[in-house]
Amino acid sequence: MEVSAPRGSFTLRSGSEPVVLLSAGVGATPVLAMLHALAAEKSSQPVWWLYGARNREEHPFRNESRALLQELKYGRSYIQYSRPGPSDQKGIDFDAAGHLAVSAFDEIGIPHESQFYLCGPPAFLQELTADLAAWGVPADRIHTEIFGTLDAITPGMKAGTYSPHLPAEPSGLGPQVFFARSGLTLPWNAKYQSLLELAEACDVPVRWSCRTGVCHTCETALIAGDVEYDPEPLDPPAKGGALICCCRPRGEVVLDL
């Protein structure tokens, strides 16, 4: 079995703001690690554990998460079952029937100023991310990780209502990046973590899944130039290619996008 070190940017931010760990299904796995970290350091931050499952039989880490919350001075939980079983007890196994929804956050006392960490299936993330934004949570306080993949789009094909364009923010000061098929050229901006993020800011159609150099879904022909990786991919791309989800330009680059 091949394994690697943890990778990606879905990690706890430093600070004293309340923390909301929001997950569904097996999406509990990475936020459980965050809960372990908060418990290990005896964090004094308010910590919310919000979790959605079908029923008690499909509620992983039930006892483990409860034990960790008891180690925190301000640890709280809110559990929802979409289909409670006949033996599932409200108030003991779960707090409410149904699906997790931002519309209930005021009632259960979730602070707006929290740092929100979401992990779960794509539809779960899309709905809750949009609802958190509508609830007034700034984008830089919403952190997500997908368990599953999003629908891919074909590289080089313009999406229905979008055309590639320059980003709204001021230009960067880095080397020129050429998106050949899209007919777009702009200087690299160090605010972006990867060439994929730059392409997304320009509505250049791309394919991606893992965003950490594992799956190679984002592999793109590098027509000219060179790139550097952070993190290093598990396996290098084919000769003449680049994994744009985890690389930045070393100098001027031309991508087949």
Side-chain angles (χ1 to χ4, degrees), residues 13-241:
R13 272 57 173 177
S14 58
S16 58
E17 303 97 336
V19 172
V20 178
L21 304 175
L22 180 56
S23 62
V26 293
T29 308
V31 289
L32 181 69
M34 295 179 182
L35 185 59
H36 269 280
L38 291 164
E41 65 185 31
K42 304 298 181 184
S43 174
S44 60
Q45 298 165 257
V47 177
W48 282 89
W49 175 264
L50 307 184
Y51 181 73
R54 183 172 296 179
N55 50 49
R56 189 177 187 276
E57 291 298 317
E58 299 184 27
H59 184 171
F61 313 120
R62 181 177 63 255
N63 295 331
E64 185 175 352
S65 60
R66 286 176 177 171
L68 291 168
L69 287 167
Q70 289 174 1
E71 296 180 26
L72 293 166
K73 185 175 182 180
Y74 300 111
R76 303 180 183 179
S77 74
Y78 185 77
I79 308 298
Q80 281 197 258
Y81 287 172
S82 59
R83 298 179 184 176
S87 61
D88 295 344
Q89 300 181 62
K90 185 176 179 180
I92 297 177
D93 298 311
F94 67 104
D95 297 290
H99 296 276
L100 288 173
V102 175
S103 58
F105 285 8
D106 280 323
E107 182 181 343
I108 61 179
I110 303 296
H112 278 76
E113 67 274 16
S114 303
Q115 293 283 351
F116 292 84
Y117 299 88
L118 288 69
C119 189
F124 170 85
L125 291 184
Q126 290 165 2
E127 179 179 347
L128 286 176
T129 299
D131 289 349
L132 283 171
W135 195 49
V137 180
D140 62 359
R141 291 180 178 268
I142 304 173
H143 317 286
T144 62
E145 172 109 318
I146 297 169
F147 260 46
T149 59
L150 291 180
D151 294 336
I153 57 176
T154 305
M157 299 297 291
K158 292 184 179 181
T161 57
Y162 297 95
S163 294
H165 56 81
L166 294 174
E169 65 269 4
S171 299
L173 301 174
Q176 294 292 308
V177 177
F178 299 82
F179 294 112
R181 296 196 188 201
S182 300
L184 196 64
T185 303
L186 70 161
W188 170 251
N189 191 326
K191 68 169 282 187
Y192 298 110
Q193 296 297 309
S194 66
L195 282 165
L196 172 60
E197 287 192 6
L198 176 63
E200 290 176 324
C202 299
D203 280 327
V204 170
V206 289
R207 296 180 66 173
W208 61 270
S209 180
C210 73
R211 302 183 79 100
T212 57
V214 176
C215 70
H216 285 231
T217 302
C218 71
E219 188 165 343
T220 300
L222 182 62
I223 299 172
D226 194 14
V227 298
E228 58 187 7
Y229 288 96
D230 183 18
E232 286 289 330
L234 285 186
D235 295 300
K239 185 177 181 180

